[in-house]
Coordinates of all heavy atoms in Angstrom, one line a residue:
Chain B
E358 N -30.7 -9.6 -19.1 CA -31.8 -10.6 -18.9 C -32.6 -10.2 -17.8 O -32.1 -9.8 -16.7 CB -31.2 -12.0 -18.7 CG -32.2 -13.1 -18.7 CD -31.5 -14.4 -18.1 OE1 -30.6 -15.0 -19.0 OE2 -31.5 -14.7 -17.1
K359 N -33.8 -10.0 -17.9 CA -34.9 -9.6 -16.9 C -34.4 -8.3 -16.1 O -34.1 -8.5 -14.9 CB -35.1 -10.8 -16.0 CG -35.7 -12.1 -16.6 CD -36.2 -12.9 -15.6 CE -36.8 -14.2 -16.3 NZ -37.1 -15.3 -15.4
P360 N -34.4 -7.3 -16.7 CA -34.0 -6.0 -16.1 C -34.8 -5.8 -14.8 O -34.3 -5.2 -13.8 CB -34.3 -4.9 -17.1 CG -35.0 -5.5 -18.2 CD -34.8 -7.0 -18.2
E361 N -36.1 -6.2 -14.8 CA -37.0 -6.0 -13.6 C -36.4 -6.6 -12.3 O -36.4 -6.0 -11.2 CB -38.3 -6.6 -13.8 CG -39.0 -6.0 -15.0 CD -40.2 -5.1 -14.7 OE1 -40.9 -5.5 -13.9 OE2 -40.3 -4.0 -15.5
R362 N -35.9 -7.9 -12.5 CA -35.2 -8.6 -11.4 C -33.8 -7.9 -11.0 O -33.7 -7.8 -9.8 CB -35.0 -10.0 -11.9 CG -34.4 -11.0 -10.8 CD -34.2 -12.3 -11.3 NE -33.2 -12.4 -12.5 CZ -33.2 -13.3 -13.3 NH1 -33.9 -14.5 -13.1 NH2 -32.4 -13.4 -14.3
A363 N -33.2 -7.5 -12.0 CA -31.8 -7.0 -11.8 C -31.8 -5.7 -11.0 O -31.0 -5.3 -10.3 CB -31.0 -6.9 -13.1
A364 N -32.9 -4.9 -11.3 CA -33.1 -3.6 -10.7 C -32.8 -3.6 -9.3 O -32.2 -2.7 -8.6 CB -34.3 -3.0 -10.9
K365 N -33.3 -4.7 -8.5 CA -33.1 -4.9 -7.1 C -31.6 -4.9 -6.7 O -31.1 -4.2 -5.8 CB -33.6 -6.2 -6.8 CG -33.7 -6.5 -5.2 CD -34.5 -7.9 -5.0 CE -34.0 -9.0 -5.8 NZ -34.8 -10.2 -5.7
F366 N -30.8 -5.6 -7.5 CA -29.2 -5.6 -7.2 C -28.6 -4.2 -7.3 O -27.8 -3.9 -6.5 CB -28.6 -6.5 -8.2 CG -29.3 -7.9 -8.4 CD1 -29.3 -8.5 -9.6 CD2 -29.8 -8.5 -7.4 CE1 -29.8 -9.8 -9.8 CE2 -30.4 -9.8 -7.3 CZ -30.3 -10.4 -8.7
Y367 N -29.1 -3.5 -8.3 CA -28.5 -2.2 -8.4 C -28.9 -1.3 -7.1 O -28.0 -0.5 -6.8 CB -29.2 -1.4 -9.7 CG -28.5 -1.9 -11.0 CD1 -29.1 -3.0 -11.7 CD2 -27.3 -1.3 -11.5 CE1 -28.5 -3.4 -12.9 CE2 -26.8 -1.7 -12.7 CZ -27.3 -2.8 -13.4 OH -26.8 -3.2 -14.5
T368 N -30.0 -1.5 -6.7 CA -30.4 -0.6 -5.4 C -29.6 -1.2 -4.2 O -29.3 -0.3 -3.4 CB -31.9 -0.8 -5.2 OG1 -32.2 -2.0 -4.8 CG2 -32.7 -0.3 -6.2
W369 N -29.2 -2.4 -4.2 CA -28.3 -2.8 -3.1 C -27.0 -2.1 -2.9 O -26.5 -1.8 -1.8 CB -28.1 -4.4 -3.2 CG -29.3 -5.2 -2.9 CD1 -30.5 -4.8 -2.5 CD2 -29.4 -6.6 -3.2 NE1 -31.4 -5.9 -2.4 CE2 -30.6 -7.1 -2.8 CE3 -28.4 -7.6 -3.7 CZ2 -31.1 -8.3 -2.9 CZ3 -28.8 -8.9 -3.8 CH2 -30.1 -9.3 -3.5
G370 N -26.5 -1.8 -4.1 CA -25.2 -1.1 -4.1 C -25.4 0.5 -4.3 O -24.4 1.1 -4.2
G371 N -26.5 0.9 -4.5 CA -26.7 2.3 -4.9 C -26.0 2.4 -6.2 O -25.5 3.6 -6.5
W372 N -26.1 1.6 -7.1 CA -25.4 1.7 -8.4 C -26.3 2.3 -9.5 O -27.5 2.1 -9.6 CB -25.0 0.2 -8.9 CG -23.8 -0.2 -8.1 CD1 -22.6 0.4 -7.7 CD2 -23.6 -1.5 -7.4 NE1 -21.8 -0.4 -6.9 CE2 -22.4 -1.6 -6.8 CE3 -24.4 -2.7 -7.6 CZ2 -22.0 -2.8 -6.1 CZ3 -24.0 -3.8 -6.7 CH2 -22.8 -3.8 -6.1
M373 N -25.7 2.9 -10.6 CA -26.4 3.3 -11.7 C -26.6 2.2 -12.7 O -25.9 1.4 -12.9 CB -25.5 4.6 -12.4 CG -24.9 5.6 -11.5 SD -26.2 6.5 -10.5 CE -27.2 7.2 -11.9
P374 N -27.8 2.4 -13.2 CA -28.4 1.2 -14.1 C -27.5 1.2 -15.5 O -27.0 2.2 -15.8 CB -29.8 1.5 -14.3 CG -30.0 3.0 -14.1 CD -28.9 3.3 -13.1
I375 N -27.7 0.0 -16.1 CA -27.0 -0.1 -17.4 C -27.9 0.6 -18.5 O -27.4 0.9 -19.6 CB -26.6 -1.5 -17.7 CG1 -25.7 -1.6 -19.0 CG2 -27.8 -2.5 -17.7 CD1 -25.1 -3.0 -19.0
N376 N -29.3 0.4 -18.3 CA -30.1 0.9 -19.4 C -31.5 1.5 -18.8 O -31.6 1.3 -17.6 CB -30.5 -0.2 -20.4 CG -31.0 -1.4 -19.7 OD1 -31.7 -1.3 -18.7 ND2 -30.7 -2.6 -20.3
A377 N -32.2 2.0 -19.6 CA -33.5 2.6 -19.1 C -34.4 1.6 -18.6 O -35.2 1.9 -17.6 CB -34.2 3.4 -20.1
K378 N -34.4 0.4 -19.0 CA -35.3 -0.7 -18.5 C -35.1 -0.9 -17.1 O -36.0 -1.1 -16.4 CB -35.1 -2.0 -19.3 CG -35.8 -1.9 -20.6 CD -35.6 -3.3 -21.3 CE -36.2 -3.2 -22.7 NZ -35.8 -4.5 -23.4
V379 N -33.8 -1.0 -16.8 CA -33.5 -1.1 -15.3 C -33.9 0.1 -14.5 O -34.6 0.0 -13.4 CB -32.0 -1.5 -15.1 CG1 -31.7 -1.5 -13.5 CG2 -31.5 -2.7 -15.8
A380 N -33.6 1.3 -15.1 CA -34.0 2.5 -14.4 C -35.5 2.6 -14.1 O -35.9 3.2 -13.1 CB -33.4 3.6 -15.1
N381 N -36.2 2.2 -15.1 CA -37.7 2.4 -15.0 C -38.4 1.2 -14.2 O -39.6 1.2 -13.9 CB -38.3 2.5 -16.4 CG -37.9 3.7 -17.0 OD1 -37.7 4.7 -16.3 ND2 -37.8 3.7 -18.3
A382 N -37.6 0.2 -13.9 CA -38.2 -0.9 -13.1 C -38.6 -0.5 -11.7 O -38.2 0.5 -11.1 CB -37.2 -2.0 -12.9
P383 N -39.8 -1.0 -11.2 CA -40.4 -0.5 -10.1 C -39.4 -0.6 -8.8 O -39.3 0.5 -8.1 CB -41.5 -1.6 -9.7 CG -41.8 -2.2 -11.0 CD -40.7 -2.2 -11.7
A384 N -38.5 -1.6 -8.7 CA -37.6 -1.7 -7.5 C -36.7 -0.4 -7.6 O -36.4 0.3 -6.6 CB -36.8 -2.9 -7.6
Y385 N -36.2 -0.1 -8.7 CA -35.3 1.1 -8.9 C -36.0 2.5 -8.7 O -35.4 3.3 -8.1 CB -34.6 1.1 -10.2 CG -33.2 1.7 -10.2 CD1 -32.1 1.0 -9.9 CD2 -33.1 3.2 -10.5 CE1 -30.8 1.7 -9.8 CE2 -31.9 3.8 -10.4 CZ -30.8 3.1 -10.1 OH -29.6 3.7 -10.0
Q386 N -37.1 2.6 -9.2 CA -37.9 3.8 -9.0 C -38.3 4.0 -7.5 O -38.2 5.1 -7.1 CB -39.3 3.7 -9.8 CG -39.0 3.9 -11.3 CD -38.3 5.3 -11.7 OE1 -38.7 6.3 -11.1 NE2 -37.3 5.3 -12.6
K387 N -38.5 3.0 -6.9 CA -38.8 3.1 -5.4 C -37.6 3.6 -4.7 O -37.7 4.6 -4.0 CB -39.1 1.8 -4.9 CG -39.4 1.6 -3.4 CD -40.1 0.4 -3.0 CE -40.2 0.3 -1.6 NZ -39.0 -0.3 -0.9
Y388 N -36.4 3.2 -5.1 CA -35.2 3.6 -4.5 C -34.9 5.0 -4.8 O -34.5 5.8 -3.9 CB -34.0 2.8 -5.2 CG -32.7 3.2 -4.6 CD1 -32.1 2.8 -3.3 CD2 -31.7 4.1 -5.3 CE1 -30.9 3.2 -2.8 CE2 -30.5 4.5 -4.8 CZ -30.1 4.0 -3.5 OH -28.9 4.3 -3.1
V389 N -35.2 5.5 -6.0 CA -35.0 6.9 -6.3 C -36.0 7.8 -5.5 O -35.7 8.9 -5.1 CB -35.2 7.2 -7.8 CG1 -35.1 8.6 -8.1 CG2 -34.2 6.4 -8.6
R390 N -37.2 7.3 -5.3 CA -38.3 8.0 -4.6 C -37.7 8.2 -3.2 O -37.9 9.3 -2.5 CB -39.7 7.3 -4.6 CG -40.5 7.7 -5.8 CD -41.9 7.4 -5.6 NE -42.1 5.9 -5.2 CZ -42.1 4.9 -6.1 NH1 -42.0 5.2 -7.4 NH2 -42.4 3.6 -5.7
E391 N -37.2 7.2 -2.6 CA -36.7 7.2 -1.1 C -35.4 8.1 -1.1 O -35.1 8.6 0.0 CB -36.3 5.8 -0.8 CG -37.6 5.1 -0.3 CD -37.3 3.5 -0.2 OE1 -36.2 3.1 -0.4 OE2 -38.2 2.8 -0.1
N392 N -34.7 8.2 -2.2 CA -33.5 9.0 -2.3 C -33.6 10.0 -3.3 O -33.0 9.9 -4.2 CB -32.3 8.1 -2.4 CG -32.0 7.2 -1.2 OD1 -31.6 7.5 -0.2 ND2 -32.5 6.0 -1.5
P393 N -34.4 11.1 -3.1 CA -34.7 12.0 -4.2 C -33.4 12.6 -4.8 O -33.4 13.0 -6.0 CB -35.6 13.0 -3.6 CG -35.6 12.9 -2.1 CD -35.1 11.5 -1.9
Q394 N -32.5 12.8 -3.8 CA -31.2 13.5 -4.4 C -30.5 12.6 -5.5 O -29.6 13.1 -6.4 CB -30.2 13.6 -3.3 CG -30.6 14.6 -2.3 CD -31.3 14.1 -1.1 OE1 -31.8 12.9 -1.2 NE2 -31.3 14.7 -0.1
F395 N -31.0 11.4 -5.7 CA -30.3 10.4 -6.6 C -30.8 10.7 -8.0 O -30.1 10.4 -9.0 CB -30.7 9.0 -6.3 CG -29.6 7.9 -6.7 CD1 -28.4 7.8 -6.0 CD2 -29.9 7.2 -7.7 CE1 -27.6 6.8 -6.4 CE2 -29.2 6.1 -8.2 CZ -27.9 6.0 -7.4
K396 N -31.9 11.3 -8.1 CA -32.5 11.5 -9.4 C -31.6 12.3 -10.3 O -31.4 12.1 -11.5 CB -33.8 12.2 -9.3 CG -34.7 12.2 -10.5 CD -36.1 12.5 -10.2 CE -36.9 12.5 -11.6 NZ -36.3 13.3 -12.8
T397 N -30.9 13.3 -9.7 CA -30.0 14.2 -10.4 C -28.9 13.4 -11.3 O -28.7 13.6 -12.5 CB -29.2 15.1 -9.6 OG1 -30.0 15.8 -8.8 CG2 -28.3 16.1 -10.4
F398 N -28.5 12.3 -10.6 CA -27.5 11.4 -11.3 C -28.1 10.5 -12.2 O -27.5 10.3 -13.3 CB -26.8 10.6 -10.2 CG -26.1 11.5 -9.2 CD1 -26.6 11.8 -8.1 CD2 -24.7 11.8 -9.4 CE1 -25.9 12.6 -7.1 CE2 -24.0 12.7 -8.6 CZ -24.6 13.0 -7.4
L399 N -29.3 10.0 -11.9 CA -30.0 9.2 -12.8 C -30.3 9.8 -14.2 O -30.2 9.3 -15.3 CB -31.3 8.6 -12.2 CG -32.0 7.5 -13.0 CD1 -31.1 6.2 -13.2 CD2 -33.3 7.1 -12.3
D400 N -30.7 11.1 -14.0 CA -31.1 11.9 -15.2 C -29.8 12.0 -16.2 O -30.0 12.4 -17.3 CB -31.6 13.3 -14.8 CG -32.9 13.1 -14.2 OD1 -33.6 12.0 -14.3 OD2 -33.5 14.0 -13.6
L401 N -28.6 12.0 -15.6 CA -27.4 12.2 -16.5 C -27.2 11.0 -17.2 O -26.5 11.2 -18.3 CB -26.2 12.3 -15.4 CG -26.0 13.7 -14.8 CD1 -24.8 13.7 -13.8 CD2 -25.7 14.9 -15.8
M402 N -27.6 9.8 -16.9 CA -27.2 8.6 -17.5 C -27.6 8.5 -19.1 O -26.7 8.1 -19.7 CB -27.9 7.4 -16.8 CG -27.3 7.1 -15.5 SD -25.5 6.8 -15.5 CE -25.5 5.2 -16.4
P403 N -28.7 9.0 -19.5 CA -28.9 8.8 -21.0 C -28.1 9.8 -21.7 O -28.0 9.8 -23.0 CB -30.4 9.2 -21.2 CG -31.0 9.2 -19.8 CD -29.9 9.5 -18.8
S404 N -27.3 10.7 -21.2 CA -26.5 11.8 -21.9 C -25.5 11.3 -22.8 O -24.8 10.2 -22.5 CB -26.0 12.7 -20.8 OG -25.1 13.6 -21.6
E405 N -25.2 11.8 -23.9 CA -24.2 11.5 -24.9 C -22.9 12.2 -24.4 O -21.9 12.0 -25.0 CB -24.6 11.9 -26.3 CG -25.7 11.2 -26.9 CD -25.3 9.9 -27.6 OE1 -24.0 9.7 -27.5 OE2 -26.1 9.1 -28.1
N406 N -23.0 13.1 -23.5 CA -22.0 14.0 -23.1 C -21.0 13.5 -22.0 O -20.1 14.2 -21.6 CB -22.4 15.3 -22.8 CG -23.2 16.0 -24.0 OD1 -23.1 15.6 -25.1 ND2 -24.1 16.9 -23.7
L407 N -21.3 12.3 -21.4 CA -20.5 11.8 -20.4 C -19.3 11.1 -21.1 O -19.4 10.4 -22.1 CB -21.3 10.7 -19.7 CG -22.4 11.3 -18.9 CD1 -23.3 10.1 -18.1 CD2 -21.9 12.4 -17.8
E408 N -18.0 11.3 -20.6 CA -16.9 10.9 -21.2 C -16.0 10.1 -20.4 O -15.3 10.7 -19.4 CB -16.1 12.0 -21.8 CG -16.8 12.5 -23.1 CD -15.8 13.2 -24.0 OE1 -14.5 12.9 -23.8 OE2 -16.2 13.9 -24.9
P409 N -15.9 8.9 -20.5 CA -14.9 8.0 -19.8 C -13.5 8.2 -20.4 O -13.4 9.0 -21.4 CB -15.3 6.6 -20.1 CG -16.1 6.6 -21.4 CD -16.7 8.0 -21.6
S410 N -12.5 7.7 -19.8 CA -11.2 7.8 -20.3 C -10.9 7.4 -21.8 O -11.7 6.4 -22.1 CB -10.1 7.2 -19.4 OG -10.3 7.7 -18.1
P411 N -10.3 7.9 -22.5 CA -10.2 7.6 -23.9 C -9.8 6.2 -24.2 O -8.9 5.6 -23.5 CB -9.0 8.5 -24.6 CG -9.0 9.7 -23.7 CD -9.4 9.2 -22.3
P412 N -10.5 5.5 -25.0 CA -10.3 4.0 -25.2 C -9.1 3.7 -26.0 O -9.2 3.2 -27.1 CB -11.5 3.5 -25.7 CG -12.1 4.6 -26.5 CD -11.8 5.8 -25.8
V413 N -7.8 4.1 -25.7 CA -6.7 3.7 -26.4 C -6.0 2.7 -25.6 O -6.0 2.5 -24.4 CB -5.7 4.9 -26.6 CG1 -6.4 6.0 -27.5 CG2 -5.4 5.7 -25.3
S414 N -5.0 1.9 -26.4 CA -4.5 0.7 -25.7 C -3.5 1.1 -24.6 O -3.1 0.3 -23.8 CB -3.7 -0.1 -26.7 OG -2.7 0.8 -27.4
Y415 N -3.0 2.3 -24.5 CA -2.1 2.8 -23.5 C -3.0 3.7 -22.5 O -2.4 4.8 -22.0 CB -0.9 3.5 -24.0 CG -1.2 4.6 -25.1 CD1 -1.3 5.9 -24.7 CD2 -1.4 4.2 -26.4 CE1 -1.7 6.9 -25.8 CE2 -1.6 5.0 -27.4 CZ -1.8 6.5 -27.1 OH -2.2 7.3 -28.0
Q416 N -4.2 3.3 -22.2 CA -5.1 4.2 -21.5 C -4.6 4.6 -20.2 O -4.6 5.9 -19.9 CB -6.5 3.5 -21.3 CG -7.6 4.4 -20.8 CD -8.8 3.5 -20.7 OE1 -8.8 2.4 -20.2 NE2 -10.0 4.2 -21.0
I417 N -4.0 3.8 -19.4 CA -3.6 4.2 -18.0 C -2.4 5.2 -18.1 O -2.5 6.3 -17.3 CB -3.2 3.0 -17.2 CG1 -4.4 2.0 -16.9 CG2 -2.7 3.3 -15.8 CD1 -4.2 0.8 -16.2
F418 N -1.6 5.0 -19.1 CA -0.5 5.9 -19.2 C -1.1 7.3 -19.6 O -0.7 8.3 -19.0 CB 0.4 5.5 -20.4 CG 1.5 6.3 -20.8 CD1 2.8 6.2 -20.1 CD2 1.4 7.3 -21.8 CE1 3.8 7.1 -20.4 CE2 2.4 8.2 -22.2 CZ 3.6 8.1 -21.4
L419 N -2.0 7.3 -20.5 CA -2.7 8.7 -20.9 C -3.4 9.2 -19.9 O -3.3 10.4 -19.6 CB -3.6 8.4 -22.0 CG -4.4 9.4 -22.6 CD1 -3.6 10.6 -23.1 CD2 -5.4 9.0 -23.7
V420 N -4.0 8.4 -18.9 CA -4.8 8.9 -17.8 C -3.9 9.5 -16.7 O -4.1 10.7 -16.3 CB -5.7 8.0 -17.1 CG1 -6.3 8.4 -15.8 CG2 -6.8 7.4 -18.0
D421 N -2.8 8.9 -16.6 CA -1.7 9.4 -15.7 C -1.2 10.8 -16.2 O -1.0 11.8 -15.4 CB -0.5 8.5 -15.5 CG -0.8 7.3 -14.5 OD1 -2.0 7.3 -14.0 OD2 0.0 6.5 -14.3
R422 N -0.9 10.9 -17.4 CA -0.4 12.1 -18.1 C -1.5 13.3 -18.0 O -1.1 14.4 -17.9 CB 0.0 11.9 -19.4 CG 1.3 10.9 -19.6 CD 2.3 11.5 -18.7 NE 3.4 10.5 -18.5 CZ 4.6 10.6 -19.0 NH1 5.0 11.6 -19.8 NH2 5.6 9.7 -18.7
I423 N -2.7 12.9 -18.3 CA -3.7 14.0 -18.1 C -3.8 14.5 -16.7 O -3.8 15.7 -16.5 CB -5.1 13.4 -18.6 CG1 -5.0 13.1 -20.0 CG2 -6.2 14.5 -18.2 CD1 -6.3 12.5 -20.7
G424 N -3.7 13.6 -15.8 CA -3.7 14.0 -14.3 C -2.5 14.8 -14.0 O -2.6 15.8 -13.3
R425 N -1.4 14.6 -14.7 CA -0.2 15.3 -14.4 C -0.4 16.8 -15.0 O 0.1 17.8 -14.3 CB 1.0 14.6 -15.1 CG 2.4 14.7 -14.5 CD 3.3 13.8 -15.2 NE 4.6 14.3 -15.0 CZ 5.3 14.9 -15.9 NH1 4.9 15.0 -17.1 NH2 6.6 15.4 -15.6
T426 N -0.9 16.8 -16.1 CA -1.2 18.1 -16.9 C -2.1 19.0 -15.9 O -1.7 20.2 -15.6 CB -2.1 17.8 -18.2 OG1 -1.4 16.8 -18.9 CG2 -2.4 19.1 -18.9
D427 N -3.1 18.3 -15.4 CA -4.0 18.9 -14.4 C -3.2 19.6 -13.1 O -3.2 20.7 -12.7 CB -4.9 17.9 -13.9 CG -6.2 18.5 -13.4 OD1 -6.2 19.7 -13.1 OD2 -7.2 17.8 -13.5
D428 N -2.3 18.6 -12.5 CA -1.6 18.9 -11.4 C -0.5 20.1 -11.6 O -0.6 21.0 -10.9 CB -0.7 17.6 -11.0 CG -0.1 17.6 -9.7 OD1 -0.7 18.2 -8.8 OD2 1.0 16.9 -9.5
F429 N 0.2 20.1 -12.7 CA 1.1 21.1 -13.0 C 0.6 22.5 -13.2 O 1.1 23.5 -12.9 CB 2.1 20.7 -14.2 CG 3.2 19.8 -13.8 CD1 3.0 18.6 -13.6 CD2 4.5 20.4 -13.6 CE1 4.1 17.7 -13.2 CE2 5.5 19.6 -13.2 CZ 5.4 18.3 -13.0
A430 N -0.7 22.4 -13.9 CA -1.4 23.7 -14.2 C -2.0 24.3 -13.1 O -2.0 25.6 -12.8 CB -2.3 23.5 -15.4
T431 N -2.9 23.4 -12.3 CA -3.7 24.0 -11.2 C -2.8 24.3 -10.0 O -3.3 25.0 -9.1 CB -4.7 23.1 -10.8 OG1 -4.2 21.7 -10.5 CG2 -5.8 22.8 -11.8
R432 N -1.5 24.1 -10.0 CA -0.6 24.5 -9.0 C 0.2 25.7 -9.4 O 1.0 26.2 -8.7 CB 0.3 23.4 -8.5 CG -0.4 22.3 -7.7 CD 0.5 21.2 -7.6 NE -0.1 20.2 -6.7 CZ -0.1 20.0 -5.4 NH1 0.6 21.0 -4.8 NH2 -0.8 19.2 -4.8
G433 N 0.0 26.1 -10.7 CA 0.6 27.3 -11.1 C 2.0 27.1 -11.7 O 2.7 28.0 -11.9
S434 N 2.4 25.9 -11.7 CA 3.8 25.7 -12.2 C 4.1 25.7 -13.7 O 5.0 26.0 -14.3 CB 4.3 24.2 -11.9 OG 4.2 24.1 -10.4
L435 N 2.9 25.5 -14.3 CA 2.9 25.6 -15.9 C 1.6 26.3 -16.2 O 0.6 26.2 -15.6 CB 2.9 24.2 -16.6 CG 4.1 23.3 -16.6 CD1 3.8 22.0 -17.3 CD2 5.2 24.0 -17.2

Side-chain angles (χ1 to χ4, degrees):
Chain B
E358 182 189 283
K359 298 200 184 164
E361 307 246 317
R362 177 181 62 197
K365 183 171 58 181
F366 311 143
Y367 283 92
T368 65
W369 289 350
W372 289 315
M373 307 308 295
I375 190 170
N376 57 32
K378 281 185 184 169
V379 173
N381 293 329
Y385 205 88
Q386 285 299 316
K387 181 166 170 277
Y388 180 78
V389 178
R390 272 196 307 278
E391 283 164 6
N392 300 280
Q394 291 94 340
F395 206 74
K396 193 164 183 306
T397 304
F398 297 93
L399 190 59
D400 290 345
L401 285 174
M402 287 305 289
S404 169
E405 294 277 358
N406 303 337
L407 295 175
E408 284 209 15
S410 303
V413 291
S414 55
Y415 46 97
Q416 191 182 41
I417 297 180
F418 178 86
L419 177 59
V420 168
D421 280 2
R422 291 307 166 109
I423 293 173
R425 213 167 157 259
T426 307
D427 209 337
D428 196 25
F429 276 78
T431 54
R432 285 165 180 277
S434 297
L435 291 178

